[in-house]
């Protein structure tokens, strides 16, 4: 598993989403980087009072640790004591148009390195739309598009 390649992909994903939304909205996102003292960091991109988005955020994070917490190894005891890293991109958009739904999406990767050098990793994520005014044909379109992509 090449976590550097995953990090590059996710960082570029954040950049692409932000760039496309800046084109649509006509306003720029504010960018803010942060560091995690225990290991890692991230970058948040926020747009407020835009033309299309009342508020929107696209966040990238990459955090690391020396030892998996017990809550994380309850179902995978073989990972107890492993070093780990987690990274992902998440977003939330609140549009100005009440007929456009609020959007939430995240994609993430988690990796644990065992003492013998073996790596366990998995990807996850999800997305949803929360309409203010729901239309059945919009829900059908959303789910069909998600299924075919």
């Amino acid at each position: 598993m090449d976590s550097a390649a995953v990090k590059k992909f996710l960082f570029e994903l954040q950049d692409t989403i932000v760039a496309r939304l800046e084109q649509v909205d006509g306003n720029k996102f504010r960018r803010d980087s942060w560091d995690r003292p225990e290991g890692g960091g991230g970058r948040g991109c926020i747009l407020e009072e835009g033309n299309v988005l009342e508020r929107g955020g696209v966040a990238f994070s990459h955090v690391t640790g020396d030892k998996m917490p017990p809550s994380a190894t309850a179902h995978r005891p073989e990972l107890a004591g492993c070093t780990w890293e987690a990274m992902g991109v998440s977003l939330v958009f609140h549009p100005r148009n009440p007929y456009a739904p609020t959007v939430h999406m995240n994609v993430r990767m988690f990796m644990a390195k065992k003492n013998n050098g073996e790596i366990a990793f998995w990807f996850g994520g999800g997305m949803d739309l929360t309409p203010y005014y729901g239309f059945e044909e919009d829900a059908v379109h959303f789910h069909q598009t998600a299924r075919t992509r």
Side-chain angles (χ1 to χ4, degrees):
M1 161 50 78
D2 183 0
S3 66
V6 174
K7 182 176 182 177
K8 181 179 183 293
F9 172 81
L10 292 174
F11 210 68
E12 289 173 356
L13 176 63
Q14 182 194 35
D15 286 340
T16 299
I17 292 168
V18 168
R20 298 277 162 68
L21 283 167
E22 287 176 340
Q23 289 174 342
V24 169
D25 193 89
N27 287 297
K28 297 287 184 187
F29 278 71
R30 226 177 40 247
R31 289 159 173 80
D32 181 33
S33 295
W34 54 273
D35 291 313
R36 180 174 175 261
E38 299 86 357
R43 180 178 69 177
C45 301
I46 303 289
L47 175 69
E48 294 180 299
E49 300 302 326
N51 296 312
V52 174
L53 295 175
E54 182 177 335
R55 188 164 198 210
V58 185
F60 166 82
S61 62
H62 177 212
V63 295
T64 62
D66 293 331
K67 184 179 174 187
M68 300 258 299
S71 61
T73 60
H75 296 291
R76 303 268 318 255
E78 74 279 11
L79 299 178
C82 292
T83 61
W84 59 271
E85 62 182 291
M87 62 183 86
V89 169
S90 61
L91 57 84
V92 177
F93 300 134
H94 295 273
R96 289 197 171 280
N97 181 341
Y99 288 98
T102 293
V103 178
H104 170 260
M105 185 276 304
N106 69 68
V107 60
R108 58 193 173 271
M109 186 276 297
F110 190 88
M111 184 172 73
K113 187 172 184 181
K114 297 180 183 180
N115 293 336
N116 65 5
E118 185 181 336
I119 294 174
F121 68 92
W122 54 96
F123 291 88
M127 62 182 171
D128 61 75
L129 302 178
T130 305
Y132 300 96
Y133 298 102
F135 297 99
E136 185 175 348
E137 62 270 19
D138 292 344
V140 168
H141 174 75
F142 172 77
H143 289 284
Q144 284 178 341
T145 300
R147 192 174 297 118
T148 59
R149 300 257 172 183

